[in-house]
Amino acid sequence: MTRLLTAAAALATLGAGLSLGAVPAAAQDEGGDRVNQVIVYGEDPCPQSSDAEITVCARKPEEERYRIPAPLRGVDNPTSQAWTNRVEAYETVGAFGTLSCSPVGPAGQEGCTQQLINRAASERDNGSDVRFSELIAEERAKRLSTIDSDAQAQQERVEEAEEAYFARQRAQEEAEDGETPQP
């Protein structure tokens, strides 16, 4: 009975530690630019970005507009699988025991979580869907590449406006003093 209580306490502590580990990652998502991710089809225009929001458009062909998304179109037919996948399936027929994801042997179910994680990671890495993170990085780089030239142009406009203001002010003072203003 005490072993059961000790195991339950250890699991509760582990669960609390895992839930607290996600707090810093959530805090990092709060800052930064707002990003609007849009998929446009054919020659449809991409909405313009504003100063407060980056709009990233992924362009797909017009014939994709009303189709089922590509990742959901797969055929679950055994004949459409590659031979390597079939051979790997036969290799795992006798796999059982710890970390094997099977109901046979001690801790066989422990491997199911790892298989699920590996499968999800490979689908994410090998997916042919739109990679918005890359599009966002390109848009940010494009914006950052023009910051220096935009700032230089703005500075020149401000200096020209200041010179014109001071010239008008000198001309007005000279006119008040009765002198002839110089251009």
Side-chain angles (χ1 to χ4, degrees), residues 43-170:
E43 297 300 319
D44 292 348
C46 181
Q48 292 295 320
S49 297
S50 65
D51 291 338
E53 179 179 70
I54 294 176
T55 301
V56 179
C57 292
R59 188 165 301 278
K60 290 192 173 188
E62 181 64 35
E63 50 271 0
E64 292 288 318
R65 184 180 300 261
Y66 300 108
R67 292 201 59 193
I68 296 173
L72 302 177
R73 287 186 220 151
V75 178
D76 294 335
N77 190 347
T79 59
S80 66
Q81 290 185 358
W83 271 102
T84 56
N85 294 342
R86 294 182 199 179
V87 171
E88 286 177 4
Y90 285 122
E91 288 176 354
T92 59
V93 167
F96 59 90
T98 305
L99 298 178
S100 66
C101 188
S102 71
V104 179
Q109 73 280 3
E110 304 277 328
C112 295
T113 305
Q114 189 61 42
Q115 282 185 2
L116 179 68
I117 291 170
N118 291 341
R119 191 177 314 125
S122 69
E123 286 175 4
R124 182 193 64 228
D125 293 341
N126 299 326
S128 62
D129 204 14
V130 177
R131 297 180 190 263
F132 277 109
S133 61
E134 293 173 4
L135 295 172
I136 291 168
E138 290 173 10
E139 183 66 26
R140 280 195 179 127
K142 193 186 319 177
R143 281 188 173 200
L144 291 175
S145 68
T146 62
I147 284 179
D148 291 334
S149 61
D150 292 345
Q152 180 68 27
Q154 181 68 23
Q155 182 66 28
E156 290 173 0
R157 287 193 296 272
V158 167
E159 288 174 359
E160 289 174 5
E162 286 176 347
E163 288 177 19
Y165 172 75
F166 289 133
R168 283 194 308 270
Q169 193 175 18
R170 280 192 303 269

